Amino acid sequence: MCASEKLAGGRLTIDRDAIAANWSLLKGLLKPGTACAATIKADAYGTGTTSTAQRLWAAGCTTFFVALPEEGALVRSALPDATVYVLGGLFSGAATDLAAGNLIPVLNCIAEVQEWADFCKGENRAFPAALQLNTGMNRLGMDPDEFADVMAQKDLTGSFDIALLMTHLACGSDPEAPLNRQQLNTFIAATQPFDHLPRSMANSAGVFLGPDYHFDLARPGISLYGGKALDTAANVMNPVAMVEARVMQLRHVPKGQTIGYGGAETVTRDSKVALVAAGYADGLHRRAGSSDDRPGGFGVIGNHKVPLIGRVSMDMIALDVTDVPDDAVARGSFVEMLGPNVAASDLAAYAETIDYEYLTGLGRRYYRRYAALPAPQER
C-alpha cells in the first residue's frame, strides 16, 4: 500500500469503530446464550486483519474464523488469547504447525479427522478441532452418514477435543429459499445426539434468519464490514470503508465523441469529464463501466452523483461531471467511489458481482488510513 497520500491515486479510509458497532449490533440480534464470533478472512474483507481483530477484541469478541493458517497466524500474533478457527481445514502435513500456532482446524473430511487424530495420539495430547457437516451446500464438510461414522469411532474422536460442530448455509441471503430449512433440519438431525457439544450454523445471513439458526455460536462475516446479508431486505449495517480517487485531469468532450477504450460510450451532449486515478487494478471492476447500451456505476463528489462513462481501465476511469459546479471539482479533487454515499452492494450490482468481491478485491495502491467515516450526503 502507498505510504504517502500525496503520491497515491486514491485513499482508503477504514472505520474500525464502525466494524465494532456492526459486531455489537449483530450480537444484539442473537438469542440469549448464543456467542458472536467474527469471520476475518481475506485480510478481514480488505480492512486489515490485525487491526480489525484488535478492535473487535476490544469490543468483546474473543472467537475468530479465518480461511487459511497464515491468516490465523496473523490473528494469533495480534491476540495471543483469542480462539482462532481455520475454515480451510487441515492441510496435509500441517498438524504440527497448527498446534504450535494454537490454531483450531475445521476438519472437513474423514482423511483430515484421521490425520488430526493420529497427530494428537502421537503427541499424547487432545488438541481441539471443529467438525463441519455438509448439509446441502456441497462444498467442504462431511455428509451426515460420514459424520455419523466418524462420531461412532471413539478411537478417532476420543483422541482430540471436539470444540465445535458446524455447517454453512448455501442460500441464507434469500430468507424464502427452501434449502435453508432443509439444511437446518439436516443439521439438527445429525447433531442432536451430540447436542452437549457447541454448534454453529449462522453466518451473517443466518443471524437475520432468526433464533432457529443461531445455536451456540454465530460467525458473521460480510455484515461486519457493512455488506448486505439479505437480498430482500434493507441493509441496516454501518458502512466501514470509503474509497476516494483523485481527479487527475478535467477535459471537455464535444457531443458525438467517445470516451476511452473501444469507444464504448458516445457522449450525447457537450460534456465535462473527470479522469480519475483508480481502475480495475484498484478493485473497481471492469464490468462496472458503461456503454451506449448499458449504464455503469457512479461516484459522488460533494453532494453530486457522477456517472461512470466508458470502460474502466486498469489505472483510471472517466466520470461525467458536467452537472457539477466548477468550484466543486478540480484537478486534485477526490471522488468517493465506495463508502457512505456509494454502497458496495450498489456498485457491485453494476458490475454483476457482489459486495464481498468488491471489499476483498480493493487494491494495494491506495493510501490507507483509519478514521471515522463522514455521514452520508443529502442529495
Side-chain angles (χ1 to χ4, degrees):
M1 64 192 69
C2 186
S4 170
E5 181 175 350
K6 69 181 180 180
L7 300 180
R11 58 194 181 199
L12 171 59
T13 304
I14 296 167
D15 189 339
R16 290 177 289 194
D17 289 343
I19 299 173
N22 285 339
W23 180 81
S24 295
L25 190 159
L26 293 162
K27 182 175 183 293
L29 294 175
L30 296 170
K31 70 179 182 181
T34 299
C36 191
T39 299
I40 57 172
K41 59 186 180 179
D43 197 31
Y45 289 61
T47 65
T49 297
T50 55
S51 62
T52 295
Q54 288 168 337
R55 183 62 188 88
L56 287 168
W57 177 271
C61 182
T62 60
T63 301
F64 300 86
F65 286 81
V66 298
L68 301 170
E70 185 178 21
E71 296 172 334
L74 281 175
V75 178
R76 174 63 61 230
S77 67
L79 299 174
D81 297 322
T83 300
V84 184
Y85 288 93
V86 179
L87 292 165
L90 177 63
F91 296 165
S92 181
T96 299
D97 299 279
L98 265 66
N102 194 17
L103 303 177
I104 304 175
V106 176
L107 305 178
N108 295 303
C109 64
I110 294 175
E112 290 184 351
V113 173
Q114 183 69 65
E115 184 170 344
W116 191 249
D118 289 345
F119 168 75
C120 290
K121 291 174 183 176
E123 295 293 316
N124 196 29
R125 180 176 170 185
F127 289 97
L131 299 179
Q132 179 157 214
L133 282 81
N134 168 42
T135 56
M137 190 170 190
N138 289 308
R139 292 197 315 182
L140 296 176
M142 291 174 278
D143 292 339
D145 56 343
E146 294 175 312
F147 170 75
D149 182 54
V150 163
M151 294 301 287
Q153 297 184 52
K154 298 305 180 184
D155 60 319
L156 287 178
T157 57
S159 61
F160 60 87
D161 176 25
I162 301 176
L164 188 68
L165 304 178
M166 59 178 286
T167 192
H168 193 67
L169 288 161
C171 301
S173 61
D174 178 6
E176 302 302 320
L179 186 54
N180 293 330
R181 182 59 61 172
Q182 292 173 25
Q183 286 191 262
L184 177 63
N185 292 339
T186 300
F187 187 57
I188 291 173
T191 61
Q192 193 67 49
F194 316 103
D195 62 359
H196 61 286
L197 297 172
R199 292 181 288 180
S200 176
M201 187 176 202
N203 54 6
S204 291
V207 172
F208 292 98
L209 290 181
D212 287 352
Y213 295 83
H214 292 169
F215 292 96
D216 302 290
L217 178 70
R219 46 183 206 278
I222 189 64
S223 289
L224 293 175
Y225 311 101
K228 188 175 182 180
L230 299 181
D231 297 336
T232 56
N235 188 6
V236 298
M237 311 312 295
N238 302 294
V240 306
M242 180 170 66
V243 171
E244 300 167 284
R246 189 188 303 273
V247 175
M248 299 183 290
Q249 181 183 344
L250 292 171
R251 70 179 312 117
H252 292 276
V253 179
K255 176 182 178 180
Q257 290 198 10
T258 61
I259 305 279
Y261 282 122
E265 184 163 4
T266 306
V267 297
T268 58
R269 60 177 177 171
D270 291 342
S271 300
K272 180 171 60 173
V273 175
L275 286 307
V276 175
Y280 57 76
D282 305 290
L284 301 180
H285 289 223
R286 188 172 183 271
R287 183 63 179 165
S290 67
S291 69
D292 291 337
D293 301 321
R294 65 184 292 272
F298 64 93
V300 169
I301 186 163
N303 62 346
H304 301 276
K305 184 176 178 179
V306 288
L308 225 154
I309 185 167
R311 290 184 183 174
V312 176
S313 300
M314 182 182 290
D315 310 303
M316 70 185 79
I317 53 176
L319 297 171
D320 185 348
V321 295
T322 307
D323 298 324
V324 179
D326 290 342
D327 61 357
V329 59
R331 174 174 168 262
S333 298
F334 281 92
V335 180
E336 181 185 334
M337 297 305 304
L338 182 149
N341 302 288
V342 188
S345 55
D346 291 341
L347 191 58
Y350 287 100
E352 299 179 350
T353 183
I354 55 176
D355 44 9
Y356 296 69
E357 191 170 7
Y358 256 105
L359 290 168
T360 60
L362 293 175
R364 300 187 61 82
R365 301 195 295 187
Y366 297 114
Y367 172 75
R368 180 176 290 212
R369 62 182 185 175
Y370 292 92
L373 298 189
Q377 296 276 356
E378 292 187 8
R379 296 197 301 273

